[in-house]
Amino acid sequence: MPNTDEPKLISGNANLPLAQAIARRMSMHRGKSIKLVDTRVERFNDGEIFVEVFENVRGEDMFIIQSTSNPANDNLMELLIMADALRRSSAAQITAVIPYFGYARQDRRTKARTPISAKLVANMIAGAGIERVLTMDLHAAQIQGFFDIPVDNLYASPIFALDIRHHFKKKISDVMIVSPDVGGVARARELAKRINAPLAIVDKRREKPGEVAEMTVIGNVEGKHCIIVDDICDTAGTLCKAAEVIMENGAKEVHSYITHGVLSGPAVDRITKSVMKSLVITDSIQPTEAVKAAPNIRIVPTAPMFAQAILNIWTGTSVSSLFDTEMLEPIYEGFF
């Protein structure tokens, strides 16, 4: 059992609305007000980050909520500096809640003389005094092994399964899950199993990074309501192209469920003009005003899952129980 009365939450600037939503959900679960620790996170004129914690955290179990999304380097440094401030203030335990783990796409050497940046970031996080990491849908599962501290990796597929069952309940028998590449088959298969749907794959070949030369659909998508499933959507070029190819192969309509909506550059404009009927993302990355205004982009919340996961870590109970739809459904009651 914990030594403190309640877990304490602290947030950087990466995704303050999500941190506040997590605090509200935890307040509901605990039956008492849980607020973010009063903190000042600011920058000096030369860009240096400064953190000051205004509350006593000695002996407390601290949870830092901070995605390392754009600007990735600034948000990563905020996380590290907050951890150092808490460690030097005698916090009992520091857990980093990183809804979107940046640098995860650099998980291996793709050619000679390139870094494995995900491993470097893992070393920095552990070196800052963080003792546990809670994240969602790591781009590569092996990143958990880069850490010498416990890592809990949550999955968005149970949330997506609830959403799909709600929005496609009248045509669920015609739904087909599609993986946008061979590497994402395991993720797509997991969601397909949850809703008892068939699986198709888009095989893509790249001439160079960011440019797709050829796409082939493996599986019969004719007359199906196709749902593309992936963990990250950055510029949306590949996603929109995959949707076009699927429609050309006879699909009735195409939707996409993506965990982390990076949506940089021309992404929102491409999605708005694409053949995709809808794109569903989570709020692991704070959405921009353009994303919120896009007519075919919808955001599902992760706060209920993260709030329960934090409480489970704090009380020493199972986090993997949140992978079970029956356990998750009551937490998301009223959202779908």
Side-chain angles (χ1 to χ4, degrees):
M1 289 296 292
N3 297 320
T4 53
D5 293 334
E6 296 295 334
K8 286 203 169 184
L9 309 180
I10 187 170
S11 176
N13 294 317
N15 197 341
L16 193 56
L18 175 58
Q20 291 167 338
I22 291 172
R24 285 195 299 271
R25 292 294 301 188
M26 290 177 63
S27 298
M28 290 173 58
H29 288 309
R30 300 295 297 166
K32 57 177 73 174
S33 178
I34 296 177
K35 296 181 179 179
L36 299 176
V37 170
D38 190 14
T39 312
R40 178 166 60 123
V41 182
E42 62 180 31
R43 282 162 179 74
F44 294 136
N45 291 334
D46 62 353
E48 282 186 17
I49 295 166
F50 174 75
V51 172
E52 184 177 5
V53 181
F54 294 114
E55 298 179 25
N56 179 29
V57 297
R58 184 180 297 275
E60 302 281 3
D61 284 343
M62 302 299 303
F63 292 82
I64 307 173
I65 303 170
Q66 178 81 339
S67 283
T68 50
S69 50
N70 184 35
N73 298 329
D74 284 359
N75 288 331
L76 175 60
M77 283 304 299
E78 277 189 18
L79 172 64
L80 300 176
I81 293 171
M82 281 191 291
D84 187 72
L86 294 174
R87 181 171 59 87
R88 294 177 187 277
S89 302
S90 302
Q93 180 166 296
I94 303 170
T95 299
V97 181
I98 310 174
Y100 171 68
F101 186 85
Y103 284 100
R105 285 175 281 184
Q106 298 185 51
D107 63 304
R108 63 193 185 280
R109 296 186 69 188
T110 54
K111 57 183 73 172
R113 296 177 296 281
T114 57
I116 305 178
S117 303
K119 171 58 177 168
L120 172 63
V121 171
N123 290 345
M124 293 166 67
I125 287 172
I130 291 166
E131 294 156 275
R132 178 184 290 270
V133 171
L134 173 64
T135 186
M136 175 175 277
D137 272 351
L138 283 170
H139 184 64
Q142 67 264 23
I143 292 174
Q144 294 176 80
F146 292 177
F147 289 87
D148 294 324
I149 56 176
V151 177
D152 292 303
N153 184 30
L154 301 177
Y155 299 100
S157 60
I159 306 173
F160 288 162
L162 291 173
D163 190 87
I164 290 168
R165 284 203 188 99
H166 175 74
H167 285 89
F168 294 85
K169 56 187 172 185
K170 294 182 179 178
K171 45 192 174 183
I172 195 71
S173 60
D174 291 327
V175 166
M176 175 173 268
I177 301 298
V178 181
S179 173
D181 51 44
V182 175
V185 169
R187 183 181 296 105
R189 187 187 294 119
E190 166 68 17
L191 181 57
K193 282 182 180 178
R194 287 182 180 275
I195 63 171
N196 196 26
L199 178 67
I201 303 167
V202 176
D203 179 38
K204 63 185 179 185
R205 299 179 185 178
R206 293 183 185 271
E207 293 286 343
K208 53 185 177 181
E211 292 187 15
V212 178
E214 182 184 351
M215 281 188 169
T216 307
V217 178
I218 303 171
N220 184 13
V221 299
E222 190 170 351
K224 296 289 187 180
H225 298 273
C226 292
I227 296 176
I228 301 172
V229 180
D230 209 353
D231 63 324
I232 296 174
C233 177
D234 193 345
T235 58
T238 302
L239 183 67
C240 294
K241 178 64 176 174
E244 289 175 14
V245 172
I246 292 167
M247 288 297 290
E248 288 167 5
N249 277 261
K252 190 172 288 184
E253 59 187 30
V254 179
H255 303 261
S256 294
Y257 279 72
I258 310 292
T259 306
H260 307 298
V262 177
L263 302 180
S264 57
V268 175
D269 187 53
R270 282 175 175 169
I271 292 162
T272 304
K273 295 175 181 176
S274 75
V275 298
M276 272 189 301
K277 207 163 184 185
S278 71
L279 167 65
V280 179
I281 59 174
T282 74
D283 57 356
S284 62
I285 297 173
Q286 185 173 344
T288 62
E289 291 304 317
V291 171
K292 292 178 185 176
N296 59 342
I297 298 179
R298 187 161 53 85
I299 302 167
V300 295
T302 57
M305 178 180 269
F306 275 111
Q308 189 63 54
I310 289 170
L311 288 172
N312 287 8
I313 290 170
W314 180 68
T315 57
T317 54
S318 172
V319 173
S320 61
S321 64
L322 296 174
F323 305 160
D324 186 353
T325 303
E326 290 183 5
M327 292 292 293
L328 199 63
E329 201 163 12
I331 298 172
Y332 273 86
E333 192 171 357
F335 282 96
F336 303 115

